[in-house]
């Protein structure tokens, strides 16, 4: 399965499984979503379990919170991460704090699916990676799969989770592998081992990173599309790097990070989002706090530049494999 | 004719400021009993005059008149009166407690007590209200323990919300009372979602959400109304129009151009404009909307026309921005007085009987607050600091666990 099919399969098995689950968002009903993630679900489960909403991200999330407080388990789609900001107040002031402020009387077991990231020539309104905005909010979980197998297992865990989860889907990976080399032909998922996705329910726990590649020289921390960019960079430059796919940034698998960096003594952090105030800053601080005496080189960050996401300069902006290679090499020079 | 006027920016101003005489001549009124009472299943298209009238039941003599007059038992009305009187006494005492430094913050609902009380008694146990911070009488009418209110307000060791929440931002699920937050309008959409969930499950419970008239300017109110209209959610959306949003008069939210109930027209749902100081009118209108919702006809918007007789909060001084004597000049009177007068008029209460009721209410409120004070007021007592780190998530992650240890708990 490609990632779209894997996500569709996760929704399908959960809708089948649990009548309290329903899914809605802009164009998700009859049409099956602009990226086809909810394809045929309305046909299969009926109008009340998979339906279209008004163009109102705030309304979508508010409604989901109310349903969640009642006892349902809604899964909503925000069409692009760039459009999630009208729902920011609902996520930050309501979903994230409802359990805490009501002393557990009410909670919001909602999943908010959000296609994010660049590489599709989407300009500033279809390319952003706003995960750091949400990671900073206590009470929200942020999950970011990098392949079809993880996408299904993580989405099922997110749906079953009793806390609000923002589920960032790297849209450049929906239909094929992307290694940050725009001139290469698209690699379909079907040849990838992690595209072998079981039809049934399975779960990947939130907060457990995946060891993509073991190595001795440097630890590379990445998530989403950047996992594949980093892997490609590692393969190209020949540095024996260890690559960790974080899978979720809240909860964060701090143990896996610390164990690896203490072993390699070097750390590169890669994300698409712009650098200043990005989640890489938090990762860098955590590594410094917990691995300082093991570090043999300054921590390196590879990220989008501190500009809005530009249309014509997509490949100047996007942190492609060469920038990852440069960063890894800098850690080796010390 | 060609319009040649020079453009000029218009900024609305209230009819009076400090030093002026109170003037409510701009508030559209209608006599008790005048507004028609359509069948609850009437198509919305035949209800479009309703937002411009005013549903009133109690006339100047306290008599229940007209087609909206509900058939309510003496016991029911007395419960309402008891809740309203206790709300007022409790508010006064807690406002003083704030001045004495026993709590950091307080908000009174003086002048608006009929709203929560009537709607609480009208709706069922399984219905859920999504309150603002001025709906205390809902809890009073359902006999929520006043000591627990005190404990919450004092943030003491027995605070049911474990010291995490600003005073008066209660949560009481078993009493049909959703968690309040200080963000305005952000729970109106939750009420709609709750109602949609109830409909999805073929349940028979409905939701009721509140915003103030000032908050109708927030985008989230428009979003909630849109969803309520689109999905025919079994929800009652209430705008408590108490004329003032801190120092901004209702005209700053658009109240001079049209009624707040008329906002319903654009969403294709019925809008009722109701005397918010008339317990019987509120009860009747709520019951109408409830029946309509349970008949699968969807949402109703109710504007409750009232007056915020007290300050916005303990941090506010309304003498600095509104005319003196406005409260007394308010044309819809005082909700407690009007219900009391009605009960006397019915022959169910005497002045002496009311004095006894008031004394009894005072005694109960005093005893409850004393009990809460005995646990401790702000700073004297607080819940375990451990609670600060709990329920951030269902299960804490390593951050809460590490930080709790770091703090020594």
């Amino acid at each position: 399965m490609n990632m779209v099919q894997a996500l569709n399969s996760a929704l399908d098995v959960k809708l089948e499984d649990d009548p309290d689950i329903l899914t809605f968002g802009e164009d998700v009903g009859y049409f099956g979503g602009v990226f086809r993630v909810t394809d045929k679900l309305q046909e299969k489960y009926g109008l009340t379990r998979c339906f279209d909403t008004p163009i109102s991200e705030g309304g979508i999330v508010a409604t989901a919170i109310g349903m969640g407080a009642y006892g349902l388990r809604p899964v909503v789609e925000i069409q692009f991460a760039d459009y999630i900001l009208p729902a920011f107040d609902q996520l930050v002031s309501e979903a994230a704090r409802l359990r805490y402020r009501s002393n557990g009387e009410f909670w919001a077991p909602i999943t908010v699916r959000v296609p994010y990231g660049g590489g599709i020539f989407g300009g500033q309104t279809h390319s952003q990676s706003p995960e750091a905005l949400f990671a900073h909010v206590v009470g929200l979980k942020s999950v970011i799969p990098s392949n079809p197998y993880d996408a299904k297992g993580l989405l099922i865990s997110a749906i079953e989770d009793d806390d609000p989860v923002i589920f960032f889907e790297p849209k450049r990976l929906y239909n094929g592998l992307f290694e940050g080399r725009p001139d290469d032909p698209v690699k379909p998922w079907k040849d990838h081992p992690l595209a072998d996705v079981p039809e049934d329910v399975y779960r990947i726990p939130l907060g457990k990173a995946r060891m993509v590649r073991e190595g001795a020289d440097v630890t590379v921390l990445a998530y989403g599309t950047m996992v594949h960019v980093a892997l490609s960079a590692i393969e190209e430059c020949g540095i024996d790097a260890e690559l960790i796919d974080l899978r979720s940034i809240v909860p964060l698998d701090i143990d896996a990070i610390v164990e690896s960096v203490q072993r390699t003594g070097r750390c590169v952090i890669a994300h698409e989002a712009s650098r200043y105030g990005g989640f890489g800053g938090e990762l860098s601080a955590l590594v410094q706090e917990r691995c300082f005496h093991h570090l043999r080189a300054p921590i390196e960050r590879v990220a989008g530049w501190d500009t809005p996401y530009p249309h014509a300069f997509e490949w100047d902006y996007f942190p492609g494999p060469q920038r990852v290679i440069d960063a890894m090499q800098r850690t080796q020079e010390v | 004719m060609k319009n040649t006027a020079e453009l000029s920016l218009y900024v609305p101003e209230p009819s009076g400021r400090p030093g002026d005489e109170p003037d409510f001549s701009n508030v559209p009124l209608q006599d008790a009993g005048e507004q028609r009472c359509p069948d609850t299943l009437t198509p919305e298209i035949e209800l479009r005059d309703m937002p411009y009238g005013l549903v009133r039941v109690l006339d100047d003599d306290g008599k229940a008149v007209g087609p909206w007059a509900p058939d309510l038992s003496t016991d029911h009305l007395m419960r309402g009166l008891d809740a309203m009187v206790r709300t007022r006494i409790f508010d006064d005492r807690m406002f003083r407690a704030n001045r004495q430094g026993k709590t950091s913050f307080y908000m009174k609902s003086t002048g608006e007590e009929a709203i929560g009380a009537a709607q609480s008694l009208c709706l069922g146990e399984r219905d859920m209200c999504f309150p603002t911070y001025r709906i205390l009488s809902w809890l009073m009418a359902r006999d929520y323990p006043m000591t627990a209110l005190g404990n919450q307000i004092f943030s003491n060791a027995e605070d049911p919300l474990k010291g995490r929440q600003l005073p008066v931002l209660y949560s009481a699920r078993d009493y049909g009372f959703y968690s309040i937050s200080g963000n305005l309008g952000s729970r109106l959409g939750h009420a709609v979602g709750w109602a949609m969930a109830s409909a999805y499950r073929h349940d028979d419970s409905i939701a009721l959400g509140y915003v103030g008239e000032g908050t109708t300017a927030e985008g989230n109110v428009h979003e909630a109304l849109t969803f309520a209209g689109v999905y025919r959610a079994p929800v009652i959306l209430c705008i408590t129009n108490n004329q003032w949003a801190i120092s901004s008069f209702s005209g700053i939210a658009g109240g001079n151009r049209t009624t707040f109930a008329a906002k319903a027209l654009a969403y294709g749902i019925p809008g009722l404009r109701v005397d918010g100081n008339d317990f019987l009118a509120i009860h009747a209108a709520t019951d109408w909307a409830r029946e309509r919702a349970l008949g699968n006809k969807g949402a109703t918007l109710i504007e409750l026309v009232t007056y915020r007789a007290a300050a916005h909060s303990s941090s506010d001084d309304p003498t600095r921005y509104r005319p003196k004597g406005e409260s007394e000049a308010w044309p819809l009177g005082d909700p407690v007085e009007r219900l009391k007068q009605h009960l006397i008029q019915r022959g169910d209460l005497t002045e002496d009987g009311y004095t006894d009721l008031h004394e009894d209410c005072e005694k109960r409120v005093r005893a409850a607050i004393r009990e809460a004070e005995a646990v401790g007021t702000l700073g004297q007592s607080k819940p375990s600091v451990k609670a600060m780190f709990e329920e951030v998530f269902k299960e804490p992650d390593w951050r809460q666990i590490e930080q709790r240890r770091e703090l020594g708990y």
Side-chain angles (χ1 to χ4, degrees), chain A residues 124-203:
Chain A
Q124 21 183 314
T125 51
H126 302 82
S127 307
Q128 294 170 83
S129 300
E131 71 276 6
L133 298 177
F134 297 95
H136 186 61
V137 177
V138 282
L140 295 179
K141 295 182 177 175
S142 291
V143 177
I144 313 174
S146 71
N147 59 74
Y149 183 85
D150 282 5
K152 179 170 175 182
L154 288 168
L155 182 55
I156 289 173
S157 294
I159 293 170
E160 292 175 350
D161 199 281
D162 285 333
D163 292 309
V165 180
I166 321 275
F167 194 86
F168 291 99
E169 299 170 2
K171 59 183 173 293
R172 177 66 212 233
L173 301 181
Y174 268 154
N175 295 303
L177 211 53
F178 180 66
E179 296 171 337
R181 301 175 192 277
D183 299 329
D184 286 4
V186 174
K187 290 188 183 172
W189 275 112
K190 64 177 165 47
D191 306 322
H192 196 283
L194 291 170
D196 187 12
V197 177
E199 297 283 346
D200 292 342
V201 171
Y202 63 93
R203 299 165 182 88

Side-chain angles (χ1 to χ4, degrees), chain A residues 19 52 70 94 101 105 290, chain B residues 171 179 186 200 203 231 402:
Chain A
D52 292 332
Y70 175 92
E94 296 294 336
R101 72 172 194 238
E105 286 194 332
R290 286 155 201 254
Chain B
S171 176
S179 160
S186 53
Y200 171 83
D203 197 350
Y231 300 106
E402 280 186 9

Side-chain angles (χ1 to χ4, degrees), chain A residues 10-260:
Chain A
L11 290 167
D12 191 359
V13 293
K14 286 310 294 176
L15 282 161
E16 178 85 54
D17 200 47
D18 182 353
D20 285 341
I21 292 172
L22 65 170
T23 186
F24 49 95
E26 296 156 17
D27 301 301
V28 310
Y30 182 84
F31 185 54
V34 295
F35 293 106
R36 325 297 309 145
V37 174
T38 53
D39 192 31
K40 301 221 163 41
L41 296 178
Q42 186 178 79
E43 198 181 308
K44 190 165 174 188
Y45 296 100
L47 209 51
T48 63
R49 299 199 63 200
C50 176
F51 56 87
D52 292 332
T53 62
I55 301 172
S56 172
E57 292 77 14
I60 291 167
V61 175
T63 303
I65 295 169
M67 288 178 171
Y70 175 92
L72 303 184
R73 212 169 264 285
V75 185
V76 301
E77 177 178 301
I78 300 296
Q79 202 160 77
F80 286 87
D82 313 78
Y83 304 145
I84 199 171
L85 295 176
F88 203 53
D89 186 42
Q90 284 297 329
L91 291 164
V92 175
S93 310
E94 296 294 336
R97 298 186 204 151
L98 186 57
R99 180 192 296 283
Y100 188 77
R101 72 172 194 238
S102 70
N103 191 28
E105 286 194 332
F106 300 95
W107 61 95
I110 66 170
T111 304
V112 182
R113 294 185 33 251
V114 195
Y116 88 98
I120 64 157
F121 273 107
Q124 21 183 314
T125 51
H126 302 82
S127 307
Q128 294 170 83
S129 300
E131 71 276 6
L133 298 177
F134 297 95
H136 186 61
V137 177
V138 282
L140 295 179
K141 295 182 177 175
S142 291
V143 177
I144 313 174
S146 71
N147 59 74
Y149 183 85
D150 282 5
K152 179 170 175 182
L154 288 168
L155 182 55
I156 289 173
S157 294
I159 293 170
E160 292 175 350
D161 199 281
D162 285 333
D163 292 309
V165 180
I166 321 275
F167 194 86
F168 291 99
E169 299 170 2
K171 59 183 173 293
R172 177 66 212 233
L173 301 181
Y174 268 154
N175 295 303
L177 211 53
F178 180 66
E179 296 171 337
R181 301 175 192 277
D183 299 329
D184 286 4
V186 174
K187 290 188 183 172
W189 275 112
K190 64 177 165 47
D191 306 322
H192 196 283
L194 291 170
D196 187 12
V197 177
E199 297 283 346
D200 292 342
V201 171
Y202 63 93
R203 299 165 182 88
I204 295 174
L206 307 185
K208 280 279 164 225
R210 178 173 70 95
M211 179 66 78
V212 182
R213 183 192 189 280
E214 291 186 11
D217 295 342
V218 56
T219 298
V220 180
L221 304 177
Y223 47 83
T225 308
M226 288 307 290
V227 171
H228 304 283
V229 175
L231 186 60
S232 173
I234 292 165
E235 284 164 355
E236 182 186 327
C237 73
I239 292 173
D240 184 22
E242 180 148 304
L243 175 59
I244 295 179
D245 176 356
L246 296 177
R247 283 177 166 160
S248 62
I249 56 173
V250 180
L252 182 71
D253 192 346
I254 188 69
D255 294 339
I257 296 169
V258 169
E259 190 281 322
S260 175

